[in-house]
PDB file of all heavy atoms in Angstrom:
ATOM      1  N   THR A   6     -74.329 -10.545 -16.540  1.00  0.00           N
ATOM      2  CA  THR A   6     -75.132  -9.405 -16.994  1.00  0.00           C
ATOM      3  C   THR A   6     -75.871  -9.686 -18.294  1.00  0.00           C
ATOM      4  O   THR A   6     -76.715  -8.886 -18.702  1.00  0.00           O
ATOM      5  CB  THR A   6     -74.251  -8.154 -17.191  1.00  0.00           C
ATOM      6  OG1 THR A   6     -73.394  -8.339 -18.323  1.00  0.00           O
ATOM      7  CG2 THR A   6     -73.408  -7.877 -15.953  1.00  0.00           C
ATOM      8  N   GLY A   7     -75.540 -10.796 -18.960  1.00  0.00           N
ATOM      9  CA  GLY A   7     -76.257 -11.147 -20.181  1.00  0.00           C
ATOM     10  C   GLY A   7     -75.572 -10.765 -21.468  1.00  0.00           C
ATOM     11  O   GLY A   7     -75.923 -11.268 -22.538  1.00  0.00           O
ATOM     12  N   GLN A   8     -74.568  -9.871 -21.401  1.00  0.00           N
ATOM     13  CA  GLN A   8     -73.882  -9.478 -22.634  1.00  0.00           C
ATOM     14  C   GLN A   8     -72.499  -8.920 -22.321  1.00  0.00           C
ATOM     15  O   GLN A   8     -72.253  -8.422 -21.215  1.00  0.00           O
ATOM     16  CB  GLN A   8     -74.687  -8.424 -23.387  1.00  0.00           C
ATOM     17  CG  GLN A   8     -74.907  -7.145 -22.616  1.00  0.00           C
ATOM     18  CD  GLN A   8     -75.742  -6.143 -23.391  1.00  0.00           C
ATOM     19  OE1 GLN A   8     -76.242  -6.422 -24.465  1.00  0.00           O
ATOM     20  NE2 GLN A   8     -75.889  -4.941 -22.837  1.00  0.00           N
ATOM     21  N   ALA A   9     -71.619  -9.026 -23.304  1.00  0.00           N
ATOM     22  CA  ALA A   9     -70.292  -8.442 -23.176  1.00  0.00           C
ATOM     23  C   ALA A   9     -70.370  -6.950 -23.464  1.00  0.00           C
ATOM     24  O   ALA A   9     -71.126  -6.524 -24.345  1.00  0.00           O
ATOM     25  CB  ALA A   9     -69.319  -9.122 -24.124  1.00  0.00           C
ATOM     26  N   SER A  10     -69.600  -6.173 -22.733  1.00  0.00           N
ATOM     27  CA  SER A  10     -69.636  -4.726 -22.926  1.00  0.00           C
ATOM     28  C   SER A  10     -68.457  -4.282 -23.787  1.00  0.00           C
ATOM     29  O   SER A  10     -67.643  -5.093 -24.228  1.00  0.00           O
ATOM     30  CB  SER A  10     -69.588  -4.022 -21.571  1.00  0.00           C
ATOM     31  OG  SER A  10     -68.353  -4.257 -20.923  1.00  0.00           O
ATOM     32  N   THR A  11     -68.388  -3.000 -24.038  1.00  0.00           N
ATOM     33  CA  THR A  11     -67.301  -2.435 -24.844  1.00  0.00           C
ATOM     34  C   THR A  11     -66.468  -1.502 -23.972  1.00  0.00           C
ATOM     35  O   THR A  11     -66.863  -1.113 -22.883  1.00  0.00           O
ATOM     36  CB  THR A  11     -67.852  -1.656 -26.042  1.00  0.00           C
ATOM     37  OG1 THR A  11     -68.723  -0.616 -25.563  1.00  0.00           O
ATOM     38  CG2 THR A  11     -68.630  -2.576 -26.963  1.00  0.00           C
ATOM     39  N   GLY A  12     -65.316  -1.121 -24.490  1.00  0.00           N
ATOM     40  CA  GLY A  12     -64.440  -0.216 -23.756  1.00  0.00           C
ATOM     41  C   GLY A  12     -63.136  -0.897 -23.410  1.00  0.00           C
ATOM     42  O   GLY A  12     -62.905  -2.062 -23.749  1.00  0.00           O
ATOM     43  N   ASP A  13     -62.266  -0.157 -22.725  1.00  0.00           N
ATOM     44  CA  ASP A  13     -60.983  -0.732 -22.335  1.00  0.00           C
ATOM     45  C   ASP A  13     -61.175  -1.682 -21.164  1.00  0.00           C
ATOM     46  O   ASP A  13     -62.198  -1.678 -20.471  1.00  0.00           O
ATOM     47  CB  ASP A  13     -59.978   0.372 -21.980  1.00  0.00           C
ATOM     48  CG  ASP A  13     -60.447   1.208 -20.807  1.00  0.00           C
ATOM     49  OD1 ASP A  13     -60.174   0.823 -19.662  1.00  0.00           O
ATOM     50  OD2 ASP A  13     -61.113   2.241 -21.058  1.00  0.00           O
ATOM     51  N   LEU A  14     -60.158  -2.501 -20.935  1.00  0.00           N
ATOM     52  CA  LEU A  14     -60.247  -3.552 -19.917  1.00  0.00           C
ATOM     53  C   LEU A  14     -60.543  -3.006 -18.529  1.00  0.00           C
ATOM     54  O   LEU A  14     -61.383  -3.540 -17.800  1.00  0.00           O
ATOM     55  CB  LEU A  14     -58.937  -4.351 -19.892  1.00  0.00           C
ATOM     56  CG  LEU A  14     -58.887  -5.636 -20.706  1.00  0.00           C
ATOM     57  CD1 LEU A  14     -57.499  -6.249 -20.633  1.00  0.00           C
ATOM     58  CD2 LEU A  14     -59.915  -6.636 -20.217  1.00  0.00           C
ATOM     59  N   SER A  15     -59.848  -1.944 -18.146  1.00  0.00           N
ATOM     60  CA  SER A  15     -59.991  -1.447 -16.770  1.00  0.00           C
ATOM     61  C   SER A  15     -61.390  -0.903 -16.507  1.00  0.00           C
ATOM     62  O   SER A  15     -61.974  -1.153 -15.444  1.00  0.00           O
ATOM     63  CB  SER A  15     -58.935  -0.371 -16.471  1.00  0.00           C
ATOM     64  OG  SER A  15     -59.083   0.732 -17.346  1.00  0.00           O
ATOM     65  N   SER A  16     -61.947  -0.167 -17.463  1.00  0.00           N
ATOM     66  CA  SER A  16     -63.288   0.378 -17.250  1.00  0.00           C
ATOM     67  C   SER A  16     -64.341  -0.738 -17.260  1.00  0.00           C
ATOM     68  O   SER A  16     -65.301  -0.701 -16.486  1.00  0.00           O
ATOM     69  CB  SER A  16     -63.618   1.426 -18.319  1.00  0.00           C
ATOM     70  OG  SER A  16     -63.620   0.857 -19.611  1.00  0.00           O
ATOM     71  N   ARG A  17     -64.162  -1.733 -18.122  1.00  0.00           N
ATOM     72  CA  ARG A  17     -65.094  -2.870 -18.142  1.00  0.00           C
ATOM     73  C   ARG A  17     -64.991  -3.653 -16.839  1.00  0.00           C
ATOM     74  O   ARG A  17     -66.003  -4.087 -16.286  1.00  0.00           O
ATOM     75  CB  ARG A  17     -64.778  -3.776 -19.330  1.00  0.00           C
ATOM     76  CG  ARG A  17     -65.154  -3.181 -20.685  1.00  0.00           C
ATOM     77  CD  ARG A  17     -64.628  -4.040 -21.812  1.00  0.00           C
ATOM     78  NE  ARG A  17     -65.158  -5.404 -21.747  1.00  0.00           N
ATOM     79  CZ  ARG A  17     -64.658  -6.423 -22.453  1.00  0.00           C
ATOM     80  NH1 ARG A  17     -63.625  -6.222 -23.274  1.00  0.00           N
ATOM     81  NH2 ARG A  17     -65.187  -7.617 -22.353  1.00  0.00           N
ATOM     82  N   ARG A  18     -63.769  -3.845 -16.358  1.00  0.00           N
ATOM     83  CA  ARG A  18     -63.579  -4.546 -15.075  1.00  0.00           C
ATOM     84  C   ARG A  18     -64.293  -3.814 -13.954  1.00  0.00           C
ATOM     85  O   ARG A  18     -65.038  -4.416 -13.172  1.00  0.00           O
ATOM     86  CB  ARG A  18     -62.082  -4.647 -14.769  1.00  0.00           C
ATOM     87  CG  ARG A  18     -61.739  -5.225 -13.399  1.00  0.00           C
ATOM     88  CD  ARG A  18     -60.375  -4.745 -12.952  1.00  0.00           C
ATOM     89  NE  ARG A  18     -60.347  -3.293 -12.838  1.00  0.00           N
ATOM     90  CZ  ARG A  18     -59.225  -2.568 -12.919  1.00  0.00           C
ATOM     91  NH1 ARG A  18     -58.068  -3.147 -13.136  1.00  0.00           N
ATOM     92  NH2 ARG A  18     -59.288  -1.250 -12.796  1.00  0.00           N
ATOM     93  N   ASP A  19     -64.078  -2.495 -13.851  1.00  0.00           N
ATOM     94  CA  ASP A  19     -64.689  -1.712 -12.774  1.00  0.00           C
ATOM     95  C   ASP A  19     -66.210  -1.728 -12.871  1.00  0.00           C
ATOM     96  O   ASP A  19     -66.910  -1.776 -11.851  1.00  0.00           O
ATOM     97  CB  ASP A  19     -64.173  -0.277 -12.814  1.00  0.00           C
ATOM     98  CG  ASP A  19     -62.681  -0.185 -12.487  1.00  0.00           C
ATOM     99  OD1 ASP A  19     -62.140  -1.158 -11.936  1.00  0.00           O
ATOM    100  OD2 ASP A  19     -62.073   0.859 -12.799  1.00  0.00           O
ATOM    101  N   ARG A  20     -66.719  -1.689 -14.100  1.00  0.00           N
ATOM    102  CA  ARG A  20     -68.169  -1.693 -14.303  1.00  0.00           C
ATOM    103  C   ARG A  20     -68.762  -3.040 -13.865  1.00  0.00           C
ATOM    104  O   ARG A  20     -69.807  -3.078 -13.213  1.00  0.00           O
ATOM    105  CB  ARG A  20     -68.478  -1.410 -15.771  1.00  0.00           C
ATOM    106  CG  ARG A  20     -69.941  -1.119 -16.056  1.00  0.00           C
ATOM    107  CD  ARG A  20     -70.110  -0.351 -17.356  1.00  0.00           C
ATOM    108  NE  ARG A  20     -69.475  -1.005 -18.493  1.00  0.00           N
ATOM    109  CZ  ARG A  20     -68.472  -0.476 -19.201  1.00  0.00           C
ATOM    110  NH1 ARG A  20     -67.989   0.709 -18.893  1.00  0.00           N
ATOM    111  NH2 ARG A  20     -67.961  -1.121 -20.244  1.00  0.00           N
ATOM    112  N   LEU A  21     -68.094  -4.123 -14.198  1.00  0.00           N
ATOM    113  CA  LEU A  21     -68.593  -5.437 -13.802  1.00  0.00           C
ATOM    114  C   LEU A  21     -68.514  -5.618 -12.287  1.00  0.00           C
ATOM    115  O   LEU A  21     -69.428  -6.181 -11.679  1.00  0.00           O
ATOM    116  CB  LEU A  21     -67.801  -6.546 -14.510  1.00  0.00           C
ATOM    117  CG  LEU A  21     -68.227  -7.979 -14.181  1.00  0.00           C
ATOM    118  CD1 LEU A  21     -69.715  -8.188 -14.477  1.00  0.00           C
ATOM    119  CD2 LEU A  21     -67.382  -8.985 -14.947  1.00  0.00           C
ATOM    120  N   ILE A  22     -67.441  -5.136 -11.670  1.00  0.00           N
ATOM    121  CA  ILE A  22     -67.325  -5.210 -10.208  1.00  0.00           C
ATOM    122  C   ILE A  22     -68.518  -4.523  -9.552  1.00  0.00           C
ATOM    123  O   ILE A  22     -69.152  -5.064  -8.635  1.00  0.00           O
ATOM    124  CB  ILE A  22     -66.004  -4.565  -9.730  1.00  0.00           C
ATOM    125  CG1 ILE A  22     -64.803  -5.459 -10.081  1.00  0.00           C
ATOM    126  CG2 ILE A  22     -66.033  -4.311  -8.217  1.00  0.00           C
ATOM    127  CD1 ILE A  22     -63.457  -4.826  -9.791  1.00  0.00           C
ATOM    128  N   GLU A  23     -68.847  -3.332 -10.034  1.00  0.00           N
ATOM    129  CA  GLU A  23     -69.967  -2.580  -9.450  1.00  0.00           C
ATOM    130  C   GLU A  23     -71.293  -3.312  -9.669  1.00  0.00           C
ATOM    131  O   GLU A  23     -72.132  -3.375  -8.755  1.00  0.00           O
ATOM    132  CB  GLU A  23     -70.020  -1.184 -10.076  1.00  0.00           C
ATOM    133  CG  GLU A  23     -71.084  -0.268  -9.478  1.00  0.00           C
ATOM    134  CD  GLU A  23     -70.872  -0.007  -7.996  1.00  0.00           C
ATOM    135  OE1 GLU A  23     -69.701  -0.028  -7.536  1.00  0.00           O
ATOM    136  OE2 GLU A  23     -71.879   0.197  -7.283  1.00  0.00           O
ATOM    137  N   GLN A  24     -71.482  -3.882 -10.845  1.00  0.00           N
ATOM    138  CA  GLN A  24     -72.718  -4.618 -11.109  1.00  0.00           C
ATOM    139  C   GLN A  24     -72.839  -5.851 -10.213  1.00  0.00           C
ATOM    140  O   GLN A  24     -73.914  -6.146  -9.679  1.00  0.00           O
ATOM    141  CB  GLN A  24     -72.777  -5.016 -12.587  1.00  0.00           C
ATOM    142  CG  GLN A  24     -72.995  -3.843 -13.531  1.00  0.00           C
ATOM    143  CD  GLN A  24     -72.875  -4.244 -14.994  1.00  0.00           C
ATOM    144  OE1 GLN A  24     -71.993  -5.011 -15.371  1.00  0.00           O
ATOM    145  NE2 GLN A  24     -73.767  -3.736 -15.826  1.00  0.00           N
ATOM    146  N   LEU A  25     -71.741  -6.568 -10.037  1.00  0.00           N
ATOM    147  CA  LEU A  25     -71.750  -7.756  -9.177  1.00  0.00           C
ATOM    148  C   LEU A  25     -72.097  -7.392  -7.739  1.00  0.00           C
ATOM    149  O   LEU A  25     -72.911  -8.061  -7.088  1.00  0.00           O
ATOM    150  CB  LEU A  25     -70.380  -8.441  -9.222  1.00  0.00           C
ATOM    151  CG  LEU A  25     -69.996  -9.129 -10.535  1.00  0.00           C
ATOM    152  CD1 LEU A  25     -68.511  -9.438 -10.550  1.00  0.00           C
ATOM    153  CD2 LEU A  25     -70.810 -10.405 -10.732  1.00  0.00           C
ATOM    154  N   LEU A  26     -71.478  -6.336  -7.246  1.00  0.00           N
ATOM    155  CA  LEU A  26     -71.723  -5.918  -5.871  1.00  0.00           C
ATOM    156  C   LEU A  26     -73.161  -5.467  -5.681  1.00  0.00           C
ATOM    157  O   LEU A  26     -73.816  -5.816  -4.688  1.00  0.00           O
ATOM    158  CB  LEU A  26     -70.754  -4.807  -5.475  1.00  0.00           C
ATOM    159  CG  LEU A  26     -69.268  -5.199  -5.407  1.00  0.00           C
ATOM    160  CD1 LEU A  26     -68.411  -3.973  -5.124  1.00  0.00           C
ATOM    161  CD2 LEU A  26     -69.034  -6.259  -4.335  1.00  0.00           C
ATOM    162  N   GLN A  27     -73.674  -4.688  -6.629  1.00  0.00           N
ATOM    163  CA  GLN A  27     -75.047  -4.201  -6.513  1.00  0.00           C
ATOM    164  C   GLN A  27     -76.055  -5.350  -6.568  1.00  0.00           C
ATOM    165  O   GLN A  27     -77.054  -5.346  -5.834  1.00  0.00           O
ATOM    166  CB  GLN A  27     -75.337  -3.188  -7.611  1.00  0.00           C
ATOM    167  CG  GLN A  27     -74.669  -1.833  -7.403  1.00  0.00           C
ATOM    168  CD  GLN A  27     -75.048  -0.831  -8.471  1.00  0.00           C
ATOM    169  OE1 GLN A  27     -75.856  -1.120  -9.355  1.00  0.00           O
ATOM    170  NE2 GLN A  27     -74.470   0.363  -8.400  1.00  0.00           N
ATOM    171  N   GLN A  28     -75.803  -6.334  -7.417  1.00  0.00           N
ATOM    172  CA  GLN A  28     -76.706  -7.482  -7.510  1.00  0.00           C
ATOM    173  C   GLN A  28     -76.815  -8.201  -6.169  1.00  0.00           C
ATOM    174  O   GLN A  28     -77.904  -8.564  -5.721  1.00  0.00           O
ATOM    175  CB  GLN A  28     -76.214  -8.461  -8.585  1.00  0.00           C
ATOM    176  CG  GLN A  28     -76.422  -7.990 -10.010  1.00  0.00           C
ATOM    177  CD  GLN A  28     -75.756  -8.916 -11.017  1.00  0.00           C
ATOM    178  OE1 GLN A  28     -75.147  -9.920 -10.655  1.00  0.00           O
ATOM    179  NE2 GLN A  28     -75.876  -8.572 -12.300  1.00  0.00           N
ATOM    180  N   ALA A  29     -75.674  -8.411  -5.519  1.00  0.00           N
ATOM    181  CA  ALA A  29     -75.673  -9.107  -4.226  1.00  0.00           C
ATOM    182  C   ALA A  29     -76.229  -8.221  -3.118  1.00  0.00           C
ATOM    183  O   ALA A  29     -76.991  -8.685  -2.258  1.00  0.00           O
ATOM    184  CB  ALA A  29     -74.257  -9.561  -3.890  1.00  0.00           C
ATOM    185  N   GLU A  30     -75.859  -6.939  -3.130  1.00  0.00           N
ATOM    186  CA  GLU A  30     -76.320  -6.031  -2.069  1.00  0.00           C
ATOM    187  C   GLU A  30     -77.839  -5.881  -2.076  1.00  0.00           C
ATOM    188  O   GLU A  30     -78.468  -5.807  -1.009  1.00  0.00           O
ATOM    189  CB  GLU A  30     -75.642  -4.670  -2.228  1.00  0.00           C
ATOM    190  CG  GLU A  30     -74.176  -4.680  -1.832  1.00  0.00           C
ATOM    191  CD  GLU A  30     -73.425  -3.439  -2.292  1.00  0.00           C
ATOM    192  OE1 GLU A  30     -73.933  -2.719  -3.185  1.00  0.00           O
ATOM    193  OE2 GLU A  30     -72.331  -3.192  -1.763  1.00  0.00           O
ATOM    194  N   GLN A  31     -78.432  -5.835  -3.248  1.00  0.00           N
ATOM    195  CA  GLN A  31     -79.886  -5.668  -3.338  1.00  0.00           C
ATOM    196  C   GLN A  31     -80.632  -6.832  -2.701  1.00  0.00           C
ATOM    197  O   GLN A  31     -81.688  -6.646  -2.093  1.00  0.00           O
ATOM    198  CB  GLN A  31     -80.294  -5.508  -4.803  1.00  0.00           C
ATOM    199  CG  GLN A  31     -79.915  -4.167  -5.401  1.00  0.00           C
ATOM    200  CD  GLN A  31     -80.124  -4.106  -6.899  1.00  0.00           C
ATOM    201  OE1 GLN A  31     -80.610  -5.063  -7.517  1.00  0.00           O
ATOM    202  NE2 GLN A  31     -79.742  -2.985  -7.509  1.00  0.00           N
ATOM    203  N   ARG A  32     -80.096  -8.018  -2.803  1.00  0.00           N
ATOM    204  CA  ARG A  32     -80.764  -9.197  -2.227  1.00  0.00           C
ATOM    205  C   ARG A  32     -80.792  -9.151  -0.701  1.00  0.00           C
ATOM    206  O   ARG A  32     -81.663  -9.754  -0.061  1.00  0.00           O
ATOM    207  CB  ARG A  32     -80.061 -10.480  -2.685  1.00  0.00           C
ATOM    208  CG  ARG A  32     -80.532 -10.968  -4.042  1.00  0.00           C
ATOM    209  CD  ARG A  32     -79.910 -12.293  -4.422  1.00  0.00           C
ATOM    210  NE  ARG A  32     -79.805 -13.245  -3.338  1.00  0.00           N
ATOM    211  CZ  ARG A  32     -80.806 -14.012  -2.900  1.00  0.00           C
ATOM    212  NH1 ARG A  32     -82.006 -13.910  -3.437  1.00  0.00           N
ATOM    213  NH2 ARG A  32     -80.615 -14.878  -1.933  1.00  0.00           N
ATOM    214  N   TYR A  33     -79.833  -8.459  -0.097  1.00  0.00           N
ATOM    215  CA  TYR A  33     -79.744  -8.435   1.371  1.00  0.00           C
ATOM    216  C   TYR A  33     -79.993  -7.038   1.941  1.00  0.00           C
ATOM    217  O   TYR A  33     -79.673  -6.770   3.096  1.00  0.00           O
ATOM    218  CB  TYR A  33     -78.361  -8.956   1.806  1.00  0.00           C
ATOM    219  CG  TYR A  33     -78.129 -10.371   1.330  1.00  0.00           C
ATOM    220  CD1 TYR A  33     -77.428 -10.615   0.138  1.00  0.00           C
ATOM    221  CD2 TYR A  33     -78.640 -11.456   2.024  1.00  0.00           C
ATOM    222  CE1 TYR A  33     -77.244 -11.904  -0.328  1.00  0.00           C
ATOM    223  CE2 TYR A  33     -78.448 -12.757   1.568  1.00  0.00           C
ATOM    224  CZ  TYR A  33     -77.758 -12.968   0.390  1.00  0.00           C
ATOM    225  OH  TYR A  33     -77.578 -14.245  -0.075  1.00  0.00           O
ATOM    226  N   ASP A  34     -80.554  -6.171   1.106  1.00  0.00           N
ATOM    227  CA  ASP A  34     -80.883  -4.801   1.531  1.00  0.00           C
ATOM    228  C   ASP A  34     -79.669  -4.085   2.119  1.00  0.00           C
ATOM    229  O   ASP A  34     -79.774  -3.361   3.119  1.00  0.00           O
ATOM    230  CB  ASP A  34     -82.024  -4.818   2.568  1.00  0.00           C
ATOM    231  CG  ASP A  34     -83.323  -5.334   1.977  1.00  0.00           C
ATOM    232  OD1 ASP A  34     -83.590  -5.058   0.793  1.00  0.00           O
ATOM    233  OD2 ASP A  34     -84.060  -6.039   2.697  1.00  0.00           O
TER     234      ASP A  34
END
C-alpha cells in the first residue's frame, strides 16, 4: 500500500486483508 498504517494489530490486519483482496479483484473484474 506504500505506507504503514496506525491502530491496533487486528484492525490493521483486517484493513490490509481487504486492500489486498480488492487490489486483486479489480484486476479480474
Side-chain angles (χ1 to χ4, degrees):
T6 70
Q8 61 181 5
S10 65
T11 58
D13 61 87
L14 265 177
S15 61
S16 62
R17 288 172 59 194
R18 174 205 61 204
D19 294 343
R20 191 158 54 243
L21 180 56
I22 287 173
E23 184 61 29
Q24 290 173 318
L25 290 165
L26 294 175
Q27 287 183 3
Q28 287 173 1
E30 287 166 343
Q31 287 171 3
R32 276 185 41 80
Y33 300 96
D34 295 325

